[in-house]
Amino acid sequence: MRENPWYCVRQRAGPLVKECRSIRPRLSTNDSPWERTEKNKILRPPRDSSVCRTRVDRLELRLALFGKEGTVYALTFDREHEPQRFQDVRRAWRSFLYRLKKWRGRPFDYVYLIEGRHGDHRFHIHLVLRDSDFSPAEVRCLWKFGQDVDDQPLLRYPHDSYRRTARYFNKEATDGIAIPISARTWVCSRSLVKQLPPLECWWDSSGEIPIPKAARSRGVYHTGNEFGQYRYAWYIM
């Protein structure tokens, strides 16, 4: 057995840290169905216990880059400007984005999502911006397609997480009608993607993942059997 059997992966994004440590088994063609099932419990942990695998994971990291400065806006259209097609919503978004860029005069971070199926089935846009880039008053002034602009902090309460919003932004799949199959459910600015630090990978003798006592919120998961172990933890400073 190797001196440092635990394979460790850590991803940082703003105040968010996600880390997993595992002793991974090897699959074999001679494995029985039971052995393969047990090994897969280590190799394929639950979807919400991974560092950067699903679309929810990836968006969670990008939202965390806003830190404590993020605000989530819901931009709705009035009857006069109500779009009938997804292409019309995208055209309105591009017009709005142009006004934001002209107003700010420099690059800024954003994540946006076009929705059109739930609730009253009217198209609307969700947008995350950094508070130091735009105030709610500025966003309302620049949104020319309706008066109803809602704003909420990205982290709403003391033990909130970025994953809550990441899940919400991924809840509505494309349906080919309201949202075309080829459309991306959410899009973030290139400036935001470039800020994400690279993964940290190493081998360790311990499977313990230290979590600072000062962390404002946290979560842990662990599973193990005779074939290996998997441990995962996240926390927000």
Side-chain angles (χ1 to χ4, degrees):
M1 187 175 180
R2 69 159 60 226
E3 182 179 356
N4 297 316
W6 291 87
Y7 183 64
C8 310
V9 178
R10 178 188 297 138
Q11 177 70 68
R12 302 179 187 272
L16 173 66
V17 179
K18 302 179 72 177
E19 183 175 327
C20 61
R21 302 191 178 200
S22 60
I23 299 178
R24 296 166 61 86
R26 292 185 178 180
L27 295 175
S28 170
T29 55
N30 298 321
D31 287 342
S32 67
W34 176 81
E35 289 173 325
R36 184 169 292 272
T37 298
E38 290 299 298
K39 288 182 178 181
N40 280 331
K41 290 179 181 179
I42 308 300
L43 297 171
R44 301 176 183 176
R47 295 177 66 87
D48 62 346
S49 297
S50 56
V51 170
C52 187
R53 184 173 59 179
T54 67
R55 286 185 60 82
V56 173
D57 297 324
R58 293 193 291 273
L59 181 54
E60 176 188 27
L61 294 172
R62 285 152 179 77
L63 292 174
L65 293 171
F66 286 93
K68 298 178 182 179
E69 277 200 290
T71 293
V72 183
Y73 295 92
L75 311 172
T76 57
F77 297 86
D78 58 24
R79 292 299 180 182
E80 180 183 353
H81 299 92
E82 184 175 359
Q84 300 301 314
R85 304 178 304 160
F86 178 83
Q87 291 81 358
D88 298 329
V89 188
R90 181 169 283 174
R91 190 176 299 110
W93 159 253
R94 290 171 179 166
S95 173
F96 178 55
L97 181 60
Y98 173 79
R99 285 195 295 274
L100 291 173
K101 290 180 177 179
K102 188 175 181 180
W103 180 274
R104 187 49 48 221
R106 57 172 171 77
F108 56 89
D109 302 327
Y110 64 83
V111 177
Y112 82 92
L113 165 73
I114 296 176
E115 284 191 323
R117 289 177 56 193
H118 70 282
D120 58 3
H121 297 273
R122 295 175 62 188
F123 284 112
H124 56 282
I125 299 172
H126 293 286
L127 173 65
V128 183
L129 293 172
R130 198 179 299 279
D131 296 340
S132 57
D133 290 328
F134 296 95
S135 69
E138 289 174 307
V139 173
R140 287 185 172 87
C141 175
L142 296 170
W143 177 250
K144 304 298 185 180
F145 301 100
Q147 298 298 316
D148 191 3
V149 176
D150 179 66
D151 63 277
Q152 296 285 342
L154 182 55
L155 295 177
R156 294 188 181 182
Y157 42 87
H159 299 292
D160 196 8
S161 72
Y162 301 103
R163 198 169 187 86
R164 174 184 58 78
T165 300
R167 283 173 170 163
Y168 181 86
F169 273 36
N170 282 278
K171 76 181 190 307
E172 183 172 301
T174 57
D175 64 350
I177 302 174
I179 308 294
I181 297 297
S182 60
R184 288 178 290 175
T185 52
W186 53 266
V187 179
C188 64
S189 60
R190 292 181 181 179
S191 61
L192 194 63
V193 176
K194 292 179 180 179
Q195 297 172 39
L196 190 65
L199 280 173
E200 304 169 34
C201 304
W202 74 98
W203 293 91
D204 205 299
S205 60
S206 172
E208 296 297 322
I209 302 176
I211 300 179
K213 292 183 178 179
R216 60 172 286 165
S217 53
R218 68 193 71 192
V220 296
Y221 173 82
H222 171 245
T223 186
N225 52 41
E226 61 184 283
F227 299 104
Q229 293 193 62
Y230 177 88
R231 295 184 179 183
Y232 166 78
W234 66 269
Y235 58 88
I236 298 176
M237 292 301 299

